[in-house]
Amino acid sequence: QQPVQSPQAVILREGEDAVINCSSSKALYSVHWYRQKHGEAPVFLMILLKGGEQKGHEKISASFNEKKQQSSLYLTASQLSYSGTYFCGTEIRYAGKSTFGDGTTLTVKP
Amino acid sequence: EADIYQTPRYLVIGTGKKITLECSQTMGHDKMYWYQQDPGMELHLIHYSYGVNSTEKGDLSSESTVSRIRTEHFPLTLESARPSHTSQYLCASSDVGPRTYEQYFGPGTRLTVT
C-alpha cells in the first residue's frame, strides 16, 4: 500500500524551515527518503530502520516513529539547492521491496 | 559515485514496435528495479530482481517483461509498444543487507510512443 505524503507542495524563502511527513497504514520496517530535481533521477538522502530513530544529513534530518507508522523529514535553513520533489519509500517487513509515496514538491525562492 | 547506466536516454517510436530498454550497473548489486514515472508524479515499481534468474512483478501492472541473465544487466522489453506506454522508465539497483533500501537510480529513459 502506497504511503501518504503531506503536504503535496510547499513554497519557502531561503533560510526558512520545512517539514514533510510520510505515513503508512501498515507496520513499517524502514523508511527511506529521496530527492528528485526536475529532469533528473532520484537521489538517496537517508534511511531509517528503527523506531524513534533520527538521522541527519547536513541541515536535513529525519525521524521515524515505528509505532505511529510515520516518518518526518526536516529541512532547516533551506537553501535554493533544496528545491525538488521529495519521495519517501517504505518497506513492510520481509516484503523485499519498497513502495514510494506520491511526492512533495519543495520550492525554495531567494 | 553510483555507476548505473540506461540507454537510450530518449526514444520516440511508432505503435506496434518491439523495444528493449537497457540498464547496466557496475557496483555488483544483487537487487535491481524498474520504475515507471510520469512527469511530476510518483514512482511506480513495475519489476524487480533479487539476483540472476530471479524476477518479480511490481505493484503496477505492466505489459513489459524483464530478464536477469547477468548480475550487472537488467533489460526491459515491450513486445508491442502503444501510446499508453509513453512515460519515463527509471532503473535502480541496491545492495543487500542493511543498505538494501539505498537505491541508486540511473538517468532514465524517456519513451514516447506515437
Side-chain angles (χ1 to χ4, degrees):
Chain A
Q1 188 133 4
Q2 185 181 27
V4 176
Q5 288 186 233
S6 62
Q8 284 192 313
V10 59
I11 299 174
L12 298 172
R13 294 283 181 194
E14 241 182 321
E16 292 181 339
D17 302 340
V19 179
I20 300 171
N21 300 301
C22 173
S23 62
S24 173
S25 59
K26 296 195 172 183
L28 299 176
Y29 178 65
S30 68
V31 178
H32 42 123
W33 289 93
Y34 295 78
R35 176 171 61 209
Q36 184 178 29
K37 292 184 178 289
H38 183 69
E40 298 180 9
V43 173
F44 174 81
L45 293 176
M46 66 188 77
I47 184 169
L48 301 106
L49 294 171
K50 299 175 184 176
E53 185 179 22
Q54 281 198 288
K55 277 197 173 182
H57 177 75
E58 296 180 345
K59 292 180 182 177
I60 301 174
S61 61
S63 64
F64 175 30
N65 189 319
E66 195 175 351
K67 287 182 180 177
K68 292 185 178 179
Q69 297 160 195
Q70 59 186 220
S71 175
S72 295
L73 186 71
Y74 307 95
L75 301 105
T76 57
S78 57
Q79 304 168 15
L80 296 175
S81 61
Y82 288 2
S83 291
T85 300
Y86 289 79
F87 292 98
C88 68
T90 58
E91 188 226 344
I92 300 165
R93 200 171 187 96
Y94 305 125
K97 60 182 173 68
S98 50
T99 305
F100 285 88
D102 52 2
T104 296
T105 301
L106 179 77
T107 305
V108 181
K109 295 188 173 183
Chain B
E1 183 84 13
D3 294 306
I4 180 164
Y5 310 99
Q6 290 185 243
T7 56
R9 291 292 310 278
Y10 302 91
L11 179 62
V12 181
I13 202 162
T15 298
K17 300 290 186 182
K18 177 180 179 178
I19 58 171
T20 297
L21 307 185
E22 301 287 349
C23 176
S24 294
Q25 50 96 6
T26 59
M27 297 170 282
H29 286 166
D30 284 325
K31 298 183 80 168
M32 295 189 74
Y33 316 81
W34 276 103
Y35 293 91
Q36 186 175 338
Q37 184 184 37
D38 292 323
M41 304 297 283
E42 61 261 50
L43 294 151
H44 290 293
L45 181 68
I46 51 175
H47 296 283
Y48 62 105
S49 168
Y50 289 114
V52 171
N53 294 326
S54 152
T55 60
E56 301 282 347
K57 288 190 178 293
D59 300 319
L60 181 68
S61 175
S62 173
E63 293 164 345
S64 59
T65 59
V66 292
S67 62
R68 189 91 184 272
I69 298 172
R70 304 196 316 263
T71 299
E72 62 271 23
H73 194 213
F74 192 40
L76 181 144
T77 298
L78 274 166
E79 290 293 331
S80 180
R82 294 210 297 262
S84 60
H85 295 141
T86 295
S87 188
Q88 173 159 261
Y89 293 83
L90 288 161
C91 179
S93 72
S94 67
D95 208 343
V96 294
R99 303 185 74 84
T100 191
Y101 295 101
E102 182 175 341
Q103 295 184 31
Y104 293 93
F105 284 83
T109 293
R110 192 167 294 280
L111 174 66
T112 302
V113 184
T114 60

